[in-house]
């Protein structure tokens, strides 16, 4: 069975551009052919700031939104976060979504498609990598950075250039290696060991 890759739309703002970029990457991942590729929109989960009474390590979730989100995280074998940069860092929507789960993240490789102005969202990807590694995700260096991304979006459609496609291919190839290499460790976690 192909490993399951979740491409996650991180921005939840009403006028966000994240979905345009994520749709491109998700279609690219489908045509890559080695993953069971799924598109996940963080906005669909409507997560408030963490409102659980217990540390997620205990898995005693009380809120429906937490149960729904952690089930989604649990189902994935790898992630690509399509993320903007807010004030040189990861958006609070991503940071908050990370904090809702614990075991569900572990031993899953992650990559970032980041976007923004001159920085291409790279600073956001860097702070998110630090956060992800604390939850025992495996952030890989490969990724796609999209500087001045606004010029590549017209009528809600993102048009990639050659460099973007090369980056996406390298990212998916490397993610696949780590996804396979960490499969045994994910099995142990899912079996509750
Ligand atoms: C609160 C906020 C902070 C921002 N900070 C940055 C930044 O640090 N670097 C950057 O390149 N763009 C920044 N921007 C501009 C974003 O790149 C741009 O608004 C982009 O559309 C955000 O992605 P989204 O529309 O998917 O939310 C910021 C935008 C917002 C709303």
């Amino acid at each position: 069975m192909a490993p399951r890759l979740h491409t996650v739309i991180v921005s939840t703002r009403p006028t966000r551009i994240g979905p345009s970029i994520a749709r491109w990457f998700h279609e690219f991942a489908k045509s890559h052919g080695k993953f069971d590729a799924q598109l996940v929109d963080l906005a669909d989960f409507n997560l408030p700031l963490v409102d659980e009474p217990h540390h997620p390590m205990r898995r005693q979730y009380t809120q429906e939104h937490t149960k729904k989100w952690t089930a989604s995280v649990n189902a994935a074998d790898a992630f690509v976060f399509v993320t903007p940069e807010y004030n040189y860092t990861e958006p609070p929507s991503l940071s908050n979504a990370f904090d809702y789960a614990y075991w569900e993240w572990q031993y899953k490789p992650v990559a970032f498609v980041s976007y923004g102005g001159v920085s291409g969202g790279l600073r956001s990807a860097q702070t998110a990598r630090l956060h992800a590694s604390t939850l025992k995700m495996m952030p890989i260096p490969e990724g796609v950075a999209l500087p001045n991304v606004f010029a590549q979006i017209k009528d809600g459609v993102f048009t990639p250039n050659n460099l973007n496609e090369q980056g996406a291919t390298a990212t998916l190839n490397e993610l696949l290696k780590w996804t396979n290499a960490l499969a045994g460790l994910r099995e142990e976690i899912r079996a509750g060991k």
Side-chain angles (χ1 to χ4, degrees), residues 26-45:
H26 170 61
E27 290 304 321
F28 199 90
K30 280 207 290 189
S31 60
H32 179 263
K34 299 286 172 50
F35 289 97
D36 169 10
Q38 304 289 330
L39 185 61
V40 173
D41 188 349
L42 209 42
D44 288 343
F45 296 85

Side-chain angles (χ1 to χ4, degrees), residues 9-13 15-19 21 82-89 91 115-121 123 149-150:
I9 303 169
V10 164
S11 175
T12 55
R13 295 188 316 120
T15 57
R16 62 199 176 142
I17 60 171
I21 302 158
V82 178
T83 185
E85 174 177 291
Y86 290 168
N87 297 314
Y88 292 16
T89 189
Y115 57 92
V118 286
S119 75
R123 292 169 294 212
V149 67
F150 318 101

Side-chain angles (χ1 to χ4, degrees), residues 67-134:
K67 291 175 189 170
K68 200 174 148 205
W69 172 238
T70 54
S72 171
V73 174
N74 197 45
D77 294 303
F79 297 94
V80 169
F81 295 104
V82 178
T83 185
E85 174 177 291
Y86 290 168
N87 297 314
Y88 292 16
T89 189
E90 72 200 73
S93 55
L94 181 58
S95 164
N96 190 49
F98 277 164
D99 290 344
Y100 262 99
Y102 181 73
W103 299 108
E104 295 87 346
W105 292 119
Q106 297 198 4
Y107 307 121
K108 299 185 179 176
V110 300
F112 296 89
V113 173
S114 63
Y115 57 92
V118 286
S119 75
L122 282 170
R123 292 169 294 212
S124 167
Q126 278 306 96
T127 58
R129 281 189 179 97
L130 181 63
H131 199 158
S133 63
T134 308

Side-chain angles (χ1 to χ4, degrees), residues 90-191:
E90 72 200 73
S93 55
L94 181 58
S95 164
N96 190 49
F98 277 164
D99 290 344
Y100 262 99
Y102 181 73
W103 299 108
E104 295 87 346
W105 292 119
Q106 297 198 4
Y107 307 121
K108 299 185 179 176
V110 300
F112 296 89
V113 173
S114 63
Y115 57 92
V118 286
S119 75
L122 282 170
R123 292 169 294 212
S124 167
Q126 278 306 96
T127 58
R129 281 189 179 97
L130 181 63
H131 199 158
S133 63
T134 308
L135 289 160
K136 297 196 197 177
M137 285 176 250
M138 175 59 217
I140 65 167
E142 288 78 5
V144 184
L146 303 169
N148 301 314
V149 67
F150 318 101
Q152 285 178 266
I153 299 175
K154 193 160 185 278
D155 298 329
V157 177
F158 171 79
T159 304
N161 59 34
N162 287 345
L163 212 56
N164 304 151
E165 292 185 335
Q166 282 167 23
T169 301
T171 300
L172 289 163
N173 288 344
E174 186 69 10
L175 262 188
L176 186 66
K177 287 184 197 168
W178 280 102
T179 305
N180 291 335
L182 297 176
L185 291 172
R186 286 195 304 279
E187 279 310 307
E188 285 182 19
I189 292 280
R190 283 178 176 141

